[in-house]
Amino acid sequence: MKEKKIILTGDRPTGRLHIGHYVGSLRNRVMLQNQGDYDKMFVFIADAQALTDNMDNPEKVRQNVIEVALDYLAVGLNPNKSTLFIQSQIPELTELAFYFMNIVTVARLQRNPTVKSEIKMRGFNNEEQSNFGSGLPVGFFTYPISQAADITAFKANIVPAGEDQKPMIEQCTEIVRKFNSIYGETLVEPQIMLPGNEACMRLPGTDGKAKMSKSLNNCIYLSDSADELRKKVMSMYTDPLHLNVSDPGHIEGNTVFTYLDAFCTNEHFANYLPDYANLDELKAHYMRGGLGDVKCKKFLEKVLNETLEPIRNRRKEFESDIPSIYEIFRQGCENAREAAAQTIDEVKKAMRITYFDDKELIEEQSIKYKA
Ligand code: ATP
Ligand code: MG
């Protein structure tokens, strides 16, 4: 029998979605959805996870739920094909996470590289710098466990995500194996689906920093206007050694070229920069010297705009009826809850904590007390 393909991914409502999300995960999701080669696809807004490191401003999370919802619909996620839902509305996820907490050690969580780098980035281990004078919230520290519950509650076996999520999926796999070894085959092991192109694994920010991230203020948002897009591209980080047009330039770590790697095709050259047949030719010229940053940036702006313009326009349409967006998600939550509830039922049976329906247990106990 062919294995069922169940796809699941989510995003934190800590801001609007950006082009890093697009190349890292959204583009793959829409492609999978439109190919139709799957049994079920779940996409969710991880508001409960976002609260784990935003207790200084929970209203930010609440306000951004609709922003992420609009971005989802704008990029082409279709509620008739995918179940779109909001994490906090599915209490079964919390229930499952609670049981998982017993099969993960503190030491294992401390070793999770994503948690480590996020703790550092957010200044949690430095009480003076941290938003939380009181240090690291327990909920944040344990979020890989909650993420494992999100994935396994839907029996997802494919998780399209950026490279930073690799350690999360590894930890989830360990939890599944441990659970199954204690209670018998119940949960499904997930696999990460990374983007095909190296540049998309971890798209850097416009400031050249390692990762474009809502929290680092270095993003090109999917909803940026054409004007904002132009300004951001024009002020992008390039090659600090490329002072004069005639100087040889460097491609490595040059964000303009990383974005071109992630977005441009030979067709873009034919349409906007016909002096070059492809990106290799443009790179070769830049490295030789004689090619200015402005020319490359103008080209990049056109390339990005070709992807972003339809997204921007579709978003405008969805923005005109906000109540209907909440309705789409209400329906999605109902469907998601049904699926998660079924898994929780199976989990409880496997754990043998269905006391009232467990005739064997009741019989066994009554014999014990009759004797
Ligand atoms: P936050 O700063 O709140 O953590 P974020 O911008 O890192 O926000 P997430 O919601 O944590 O975004 O990530 C959602 C998904 O997008 C994940 O699959 C993640 O791997 C992917 N992703 C986020 N940023 C990038 C990036 N710069 N390049 C590639 N993929 C990314
Ligand atoms: Mg993140």
Side-chain angles (χ1 to χ4, degrees):
M1 203 178 74
K2 204 173 141 248
E3 195 191 19
K4 273 194 164 187
K5 257 193 208 167
I6 300 183
I7 301 162
L8 174 131
T9 42
D11 306 271
R12 296 151 43 91
T14 48
R16 293 178 170 205
L17 298 182
H18 52 66
I19 61 171
H21 297 119
Y22 185 74
V23 297
S25 161
L26 289 169
R27 190 158 62 179
N28 266 345
R29 295 181 215 175
V30 175
M31 184 199 70
L32 286 164
Q33 177 195 269
N34 294 343
Q35 284 174 348
D37 178 27
Y38 61 92
D39 296 281
K40 280 187 193 159
M41 175 139 142
F42 297 92
V43 180
F44 72 101
I45 302 179
D47 62 333
Q49 187 190 112
L51 284 174
T52 65
D53 61 335
N54 282 287
M55 281 317 281
D56 59 327
N57 190 5
E59 187 57 18
K60 175 174 107 181
V61 175
R62 182 167 170 264
Q63 294 293 330
N64 275 304
V65 168
I66 192 74
E67 300 298 340
V68 175
L70 285 165
D71 286 330
Y72 279 172
L73 297 167
V75 295
L77 289 173
N78 178 344
N80 297 321
K81 294 182 179 171
S82 308
T83 303
L84 308 179
F85 70 94
I86 305 173
Q87 186 189 23
S88 61
Q89 305 306 299
I90 320 294
E92 286 79 4
L93 301 177
T94 325
E95 200 177 344
L96 192 53
F98 191 69
Y99 295 127
F100 286 173
M101 290 203 179
N102 306 323
I103 54 179
V104 180
T105 64
V106 170
R108 176 63 183 88
L109 282 171
Q110 277 167 332
R111 274 201 313 273
N112 184 310
T114 309
V115 174
K116 261 193 193 162
S117 74
E118 285 178 339
I119 287 176
K120 207 164 148 204
M121 188 172 96
R122 287 162 173 78
F124 280 145
N125 51 2
N126 179 341
E127 291 193 6
E128 273 159 37
Q129 273 176 27
S130 170
N131 294 335
F132 302 81
S134 45
L136 178 69
V138 173
F140 183 81
F141 182 60
T142 57
Y143 95 78
I145 298 177
S146 134
Q147 203 163 311
D150 300 336
I151 296 169
T152 51
F154 298 96
K155 302 213 163 99
N157 47 12
I158 302 175
V159 181
E163 199 183 28
D164 64 311
Q165 292 301 308
K166 246 165 118 179
M168 294 294 162
I169 307 299
E170 277 163 23
Q171 181 142 29
C172 178
T173 303
E174 280 174 34
I175 291 174
V176 168
R177 288 188 186 157
K178 184 91 196 219
F179 186 96
N180 287 350
S181 76
I182 299 171
Y183 296 113
E185 278 305 308
T186 315
L187 301 172
V188 176
E189 285 184 27
Q191 264 186 353
I192 191 164
M193 181 185 195
L194 291 169
N197 171 333
E198 187 62 33
C200 305
M201 295 280 186
R202 190 180 290 254
L203 199 78
T206 49
D207 54 359
K209 294 237 169 77
K211 185 174 172 279
M212 180 173 286
S213 171
K214 286 169 260 164
S215 315
L216 295 176
N217 219 350
N218 58 5
C219 305
I220 293 178
Y221 293 100
L222 297 175
S223 50
D224 278 346
S225 68
D227 215 34
E228 283 165 324
L229 173 66
R230 184 169 46 251
K231 283 189 194 132
K232 286 185 182 177
V233 171
M234 286 307 158
S235 60
M236 259 172 77
Y237 178 87
T238 55
D239 171 12
L241 303 172
H242 189 233
L243 299 174
N244 302 306
V245 174
S246 55
D247 292 341
H250 298 82
I251 303 293
E252 190 77 8
N254 185 327
T255 333
V256 170
F257 284 92
T258 313
Y259 289 9
L260 285 174
D261 275 328
F263 281 93
C264 96
T265 61
N266 293 354
E267 237 172 63
H268 288 128
F269 280 96
N271 293 340
Y272 306 125
L273 203 59
D275 290 351
Y276 306 86
N278 54 43
L279 188 53
D280 286 340
E281 286 187 13
L282 189 77
K283 283 181 178 172
H285 191 182
Y286 191 80
M287 289 191 285
R288 266 199 316 275
L291 175 58
D293 282 338
V294 172
K295 191 166 178 179
C296 300
K297 284 181 169 177
K298 282 193 170 153
F299 175 57
L300 175 63
E301 184 207 333
K302 291 195 180 101
V303 169
L304 287 178
N305 201 46
E306 196 174 300
T307 302
L308 297 185
E309 193 173 24
I311 295 177
R312 203 184 288 138
N313 293 341
R314 264 199 306 269
R315 197 186 209 270
K316 284 258 150 19
E317 282 170 34
F318 286 114
E319 283 170 359
S320 69
D321 187 1
I322 294 294
S324 76
I325 313 293
Y326 283 104
E327 268 317 306
I328 289 174
F329 277 75
R330 183 210 295 276
Q331 188 56 53
C333 284
E334 275 177 29
N335 299 344
R337 212 173 157 189
E338 229 171 83
Q342 172 154 3
T343 307
I344 278 287
D345 262 4
E346 293 168 25
V347 161
K348 284 184 158 170
K349 280 202 186 94
M351 292 175 75
R352 309 187 74 184
I353 54 172
T354 52
Y355 304 109
F356 310 126
D357 299 322
D358 192 340
K359 290 206 179 74
E360 210 181 293
L361 172 73
I362 298 171
E363 180 70 23
E364 187 187 309
Q365 298 301 326
S366 50
I367 290 170
K368 190 168 92 190
Y369 279 96
K370 268 185 206 145

